[in-house]
């Protein structure tokens, strides 16, 4: 049965039907999913019949897996699964996953286990359309800038109101990492340019802190325009895959104290490249235990 793709919004998101995610990978299906991801940035599947092992296997269709996280241990009994659990953390901030390492994951898979009776949506923003929306002088400025990303700043994490969340945050920052990335990243598969910033972006290289903060806020305001955003409302047993090279996401904290649990598996990425061909660099820390570096043909 051929894979069918239904767009969710004009700029981001599609529902994929007709793909058997539990089957051995079939090259034409993998190609169709990769093409859908390249075009729509975020793709979702309903009623998936996957356990943790199945999610790991499915993520492996797209490349080698990372471990769960550079600092946070894997979910019990797994090597690659990060438990995204409202008990320990609420990621209600715009971010791209793990951009404080030199080669952040190329894509993220999220599988819903426990969903909320209301709210609890994941927002995903298209950073490529954000870049294209910039007036030409701002695009030129963005193309020229480099940004230091870190896991260290406390404003990278929402206020931790409980002991469990404080402990999660302590582990999250326990080993410091800093990486320098181009502010505009060229997607290795599509050649598209996207704004590569988000909550781990700490400062623009060469600028005073106040100017850096103002400019990051300005560029970020283009990413989070409503037109660029898919607002995904979860039901159990859904799988969401987003292209972590060219999106940001945000978990809306609008579900009171209801539990919310998703399992995350990420796929290793390459070292980002800017519009001038310059690559990212690790400034602090060594995350080689976390992720292989994906080789991308020059
Ligand atoms: Fe995330």
């Amino acid at each position: 049965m051929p894979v069918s793709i239904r767009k969710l919004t004009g700029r981001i998101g599609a529902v994929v039907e007709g793909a058997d995610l539990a089957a051995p990978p079939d090259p034409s299906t993998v190609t169709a999913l990769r093409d859908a991801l390249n075009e729509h940035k975020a793709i979702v599947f309903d009623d998936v019949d996957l356990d943790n092992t199945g999610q790991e296997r499915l993520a492996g269709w797209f490349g080698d897996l990372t471990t769960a996280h550079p600092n946070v241990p894997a979910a019990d009994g797994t090597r690659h699964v990060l438990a995204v659990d409202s008990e320990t953390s609420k990621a209600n901030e715009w971010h791209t996953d793990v951009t404080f390492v030199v080669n952040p994951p190329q894509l993220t898979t999220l599988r819903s286990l426990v969903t909320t009776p209301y709210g609890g949506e994941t927002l995903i923003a298209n950073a490529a359309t954000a870049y294209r929306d910039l007036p030409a002088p701002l695009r030129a400025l963005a193309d020229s800038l480099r940004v230091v990303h870190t896991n260290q700043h406390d404003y990278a994490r929402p206020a931790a109101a409980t002991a469990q969340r404080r402990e999660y945050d302590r582990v999250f920052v326990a080993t410091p990492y800093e990486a320098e990335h181009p502010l505009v990243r060229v997607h290795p598969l599509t050649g598209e340019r996207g704004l590569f910033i988000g909550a781990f972006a700490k400062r623009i290289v060469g600028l005073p802190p106040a100017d850096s903060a103002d400019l990051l806020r300005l560029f970020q305001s283009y990413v989070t325009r409503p037109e660029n955003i898919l607002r995904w409302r979860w039901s159990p047993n859904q799988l969401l895959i987003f292209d972590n090279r060219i999106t940001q996401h945000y978990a809306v904290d609008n579900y009171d104290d209801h539990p919310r649990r998703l399992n995350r598996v990420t796929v290793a990425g390459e070292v980002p490249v800017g519009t001038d061909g310059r690559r990212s660099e690790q400034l602090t820390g060594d995350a080689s235990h976390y992720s292989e570096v994906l080789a991308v043909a020059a």
Side-chain angles (χ1 to χ4, degrees):
M1 179 168 143
V3 169
S4 82
I5 313 273
R6 180 168 52 85
K7 280 179 77 155
L8 287 165
T9 83
R11 288 189 157 195
I12 181 166
V15 170
V16 179
E17 285 167 346
D20 183 353
L21 302 184
D26 142 52
S28 70
T29 302
V30 178
T31 300
L33 298 184
R34 177 64 84 176
D35 289 347
L37 205 52
N38 284 343
E39 182 175 350
H40 303 291
K41 316 303 189 229
I43 55 178
V44 287
F45 305 82
D46 270 324
D47 297 322
V48 297
D49 184 18
L50 297 173
D51 56 11
N52 283 334
T53 306
Q55 186 180 356
E56 289 173 337
R57 201 177 328 105
L58 183 267
W61 291 9
F62 299 94
D64 292 336
L65 304 185
T66 69
T67 60
H69 187 271
N71 289 351
V72 180
D76 285 348
T78 77
R79 195 169 122 66
H80 303 283
V81 174
L82 181 74
V84 174
D85 188 334
S86 56
E87 293 256 299
T88 53
S89 182
K90 290 191 169 184
N92 55 328
E93 57 197 334
W94 282 105
H95 66 285
T96 299
D97 283 335
V98 201
T99 59
F100 44 85
V101 305
V102 69
N103 64 318
Q106 58 158 293
L107 62 83
T108 295
T109 70
L110 288 171
R111 182 170 60 92
S112 52
L113 305 178
V114 176
T115 60
T116 53
Y118 49 83
E121 301 93 344
T122 295
L123 311 186
I124 307 119
N126 185 339
T129 47
Y131 175 82
R132 292 202 286 273
D133 282 345
L134 290 173
L138 283 181
R139 277 205 300 270
L141 174 62
D143 285 345
S144 74
L145 298 173
R146 309 250 314 167
V147 180
V148 175
H149 295 235
T150 179
N151 67 332
Q152 286 304 293
H153 48 167
D154 36 44
Y155 55 87
R157 310 298 305 163
T162 65
Q164 262 177 302
R165 290 192 197 134
R166 274 194 297 277
E167 174 59 13
Y168 185 92
D169 283 1
R170 189 191 65 75
V171 172
F172 193 97
V173 304
T175 299
Y177 297 96
E178 275 195 344
E180 183 186 303
H181 297 295
L183 195 148
V184 176
R185 177 178 186 177
V186 180
H187 195 290
L189 303 182
T190 65
E192 266 188 309
R193 297 178 176 193
L195 295 176
F196 195 60
I197 43 180
F200 301 121
K202 177 186 176 186
R203 63 184 164 83
I204 296 176
V205 176
L207 295 189
D211 294 352
S212 173
D214 284 350
L215 271 183
L216 285 172
R217 198 159 31 237
L218 172 66
F219 290 125
Q220 182 67 11
S221 73
Y222 281 81
V223 176
T224 58
R225 283 183 165 182
E227 289 77 7
N228 291 328
I229 294 172
L230 173 67
R231 186 177 186 109
W232 184 251
R233 168 97 181 92
W234 291 98
S235 315
N237 299 314
Q238 291 178 325
L239 185 87
L240 164 67
I241 306 178
F242 56 78
D243 187 337
N244 197 55
R245 289 159 163 152
I246 204 150
T247 59
Q248 288 185 32
H249 56 284
Y250 182 116
V252 186
D253 182 8
N254 59 351
Y255 50 96
D256 298 320
D257 291 327
H258 292 287
R260 178 182 185 271
R261 286 177 51 218
L262 310 171
N263 277 359
R264 170 176 122 180
V265 175
T266 47
V267 178
E270 75 290 345
V271 176
V273 176
T275 58
D276 58 359
R278 211 174 136 199
R279 289 155 54 94
S280 301
E281 293 170 40
Q282 192 78 44
L283 303 179
T284 305
D286 173 1
S288 53
H289 66 285
Y290 165 65
S291 177
E292 300 286 322
V293 175
L294 173 67
V296 172

